[in-house]
Amino acid sequence: MFQPHILALKGPINIGKTTTIKIVRRKILDHYGNQAIETDFLSKRATSDIKRIIEIGEFKIGIESQGDPVGPSKGLGRLHDSLKYFDEQGCNLIICTSRDSGKTAEYINAYESKYTIISYKKIKEPENKMESIWNITATEIFNKVISLYDDFNKAK
């Protein structure tokens, strides 16, 4: 039986977590081509973040790029709501961003009884290295996506 996973890219504010997750999304869509069906849950004008579900056959991937905490006036925040939604939709894999600790990390950890959680750590990089580090991290996460997709299909 396949164990669902959460791949969480963690780190402080403004280090490229969202950019890295967007690169992962693009790699998934490029790799799986028209096998992948993507649903966008945000208005393009609303934010630079993304909230998507990509379906590749029966394999569902939820992607949420907003992992920085939000103010108390905004409720629990989008990551909290997205994790719940992706779980309710039966996502086999959730890819998200988060801070290293605090509320967003707690939201992810709340799913550890149902999902295997794998964290990827992002740190502040020198400006001239940021783009190459984003691609290295995105490739690492993407390779895990392929591996989990293969495991899912073997378990069917």
Side-chain angles (χ1 to χ4, degrees):
M1 186 166 151
F2 180 80
Q3 175 70 32
H5 281 66
I6 294 176
L7 306 181
L9 181 57
K10 296 183 175 186
I13 192 169
N14 293 330
I15 59 163
K17 297 183 303 290
T18 293
T19 300
T20 302
I21 292 301
K22 287 178 174 181
I23 294 169
V24 172
R25 173 194 157 266
R26 175 54 36 213
K27 286 178 175 285
I28 292 168
L29 293 175
D30 288 349
H31 182 78
Y32 291 102
N34 30 350
Q35 290 179 338
I37 300 168
E38 179 180 44
T39 306
D40 186 353
F41 294 95
L42 298 176
S43 162
K44 291 185 185 0
R45 287 182 271 158
T47 179
S48 64
D49 283 297
I50 60 172
K51 178 179 178 179
R52 312 279 172 96
I53 291 181
I54 298 173
E55 296 179 65
I56 308 161
E58 295 176 26
F59 191 70
K60 286 186 179 181
I61 304 169
I63 302 175
E64 172 59 73
S65 70
Q66 186 178 38
D68 289 330
V70 295
S73 65
K74 297 182 183 177
L76 294 173
R78 203 168 84 206
L79 179 61
H80 175 274
D81 295 343
S82 292
L83 289 169
K84 181 179 179 195
Y85 181 75
F86 293 152
D87 182 48
E88 289 170 350
Q89 294 302 307
C91 287
N92 310 100
L93 173 61
I94 298 171
I95 302 170
C96 62
T97 65
S98 168
R99 293 288 180 89
D100 294 318
S101 59
K103 286 288 182 195
T104 56
E106 289 172 18
Y107 298 154
I108 293 168
N109 291 338
Y111 287 87
E112 66 188 351
S113 64
K114 186 170 182 181
Y115 290 81
T116 298
I117 300 169
I118 300 173
S119 296
Y120 296 85
K121 178 87 166 118
K122 288 280 292 175
I123 60 172
K124 183 94 172 140
E125 300 290 343
E127 195 75 29
N128 63 339
K129 292 186 177 183
M130 285 182 91
E131 192 168 334
S132 66
I133 298 297
W134 294 336
N135 284 305
I136 290 167
T137 305
T139 298
E140 184 180 351
I141 295 169
F142 171 69
N143 288 338
K144 187 64 177 176
V145 170
I146 290 175
S147 173
L148 291 171
Y149 175 76
D150 290 344
D151 291 348
F152 174 82
N153 284 316
K154 288 176 191 168
K156 287 194 322 181

